[in-house]
């Protein structure tokens, strides 16, 4: 499949049932399918035996405070622990063959860069009508990250491989 096809807004998973894929990358976008579990289930259904799914997913490092959940507009059930995320593929015959948690320093670097880029845009575009609301959003996001997120929300990479079907016994 063409990589550009998979990036289309109207991606139709059914199209790939007859043409399974060798590799699927889903980095920070499982919400487009509904949830991390729904994404793993959907992608497992279109992977070739022996194929790979690389999932980049947020996870809870600890129980999230109610105030943080309210800020994010989500529920605790929307994400799992690191270990539970690594086992999302078990029911779909996917084995997690590699997993890596980002460090607090790496995640903070990502968050700092994200905020820095938005603040730079705001500074470079003072007459843009979105500048004020963008500034409010990134300031609130940054404060929430510093208050709750850096010790609550982690990010991991999970490389899963679809188990080969067992060969028939003779």
């Amino acid at each position: 499949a063409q990589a550009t096809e998979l990036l289309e807004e109207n991606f139709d998973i059914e199209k790939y049932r007859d043409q399974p894929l060798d590799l699927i990358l889903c980095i920070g976008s499982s919400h487009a399918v509904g949830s991390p579990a729904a994404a793993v289930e959907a992608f497992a259904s279109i992977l070739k035996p022996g194929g790979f799914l690389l999932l980049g997913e947020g996870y809870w490092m600890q129980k999230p405070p109610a105030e943080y959940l309210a800020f994010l507009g989500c529920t605790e059930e929307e994400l799992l622990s690191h270990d539970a995320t690594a086992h999302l593929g078990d029911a779909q015959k996917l084995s997690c063959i590699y997993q890596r948690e980002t460090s607090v320093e790496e995640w903070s670097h990502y968050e700092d860069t994200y905020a820095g880029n938005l603040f730079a845009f705001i500074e470079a575009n003072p007459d843009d009508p979105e500048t004020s609301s963008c500034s409010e959003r990134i300031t609130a996001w940054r404060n929430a990250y510093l208050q709750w997120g850096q010790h609550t929300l982690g990010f991991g990479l999970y490389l899963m491989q679809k188990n080969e079907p067992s060969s028939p016994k003779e």
Side-chain angles (χ1 to χ4, degrees):
Q2 295 286 330
T4 53
E5 289 178 45
L6 300 179
L7 296 175
E8 290 177 6
E9 194 172 304
N10 59 351
F11 173 66
D12 180 12
I13 202 163
E14 295 304 320
K15 178 178 177 181
Y16 296 96
R17 298 242 185 256
D18 295 330
Q19 299 176 335
L21 302 173
D22 293 311
L23 173 65
I24 298 172
L25 307 175
C26 181
I27 309 298
S29 56
S30 66
H31 59 275
V33 181
S35 69
V40 170
E41 181 178 351
F43 294 141
S45 74
I46 60 169
L47 267 180
K48 288 181 181 176
F52 297 93
L53 167 62
L54 180 60
L55 179 70
E57 192 59 57
Y59 64 89
W60 298 129
M61 295 189 296
Q62 65 178 6
K63 182 174 177 59
E67 301 88 354
Y68 189 45
L69 291 171
F71 174 80
L72 294 173
C74 71
T75 65
E76 185 176 348
E77 294 73 31
E78 290 182 49
L79 294 179
L80 304 169
S81 69
H82 172 65
D83 289 335
T85 303
H87 289 283
L88 278 175
D90 292 356
Q92 281 74 36
K93 298 186 172 105
L94 294 175
S95 298
C96 188
I97 60 172
Y98 177 81
Q99 55 184 293
R100 183 180 186 284
E101 298 174 83
T102 57
S103 68
V104 172
E105 293 78 21
E106 289 167 328
W107 193 240
S108 289
H109 177 74
Y110 169 82
E111 288 289 343
D112 292 346
T113 302
Y114 173 68
N117 287 339
L118 284 174
F119 286 127
F121 170 81
I122 292 163
E123 186 175 321
N125 299 280
D127 297 328
D128 188 301
E130 298 293 318
T131 297
S132 177
S133 64
C134 185
S135 179
E136 290 170 14
R137 284 191 311 270
I138 190 55
T139 299
W141 184 265
R142 183 81 183 131
N143 290 339
Y145 172 73
L146 293 172
Q147 184 173 358
W148 304 297
Q150 66 183 343
H151 302 293
T152 304
L153 180 62
F155 190 82
L157 293 172
Y158 308 89
L159 182 61
M160 301 176 191
Q161 185 173 26
K162 189 167 188 177
N163 298 327
E164 298 283 344
S166 48
S167 39
K169 302 215 177 200
E170 297 181 15

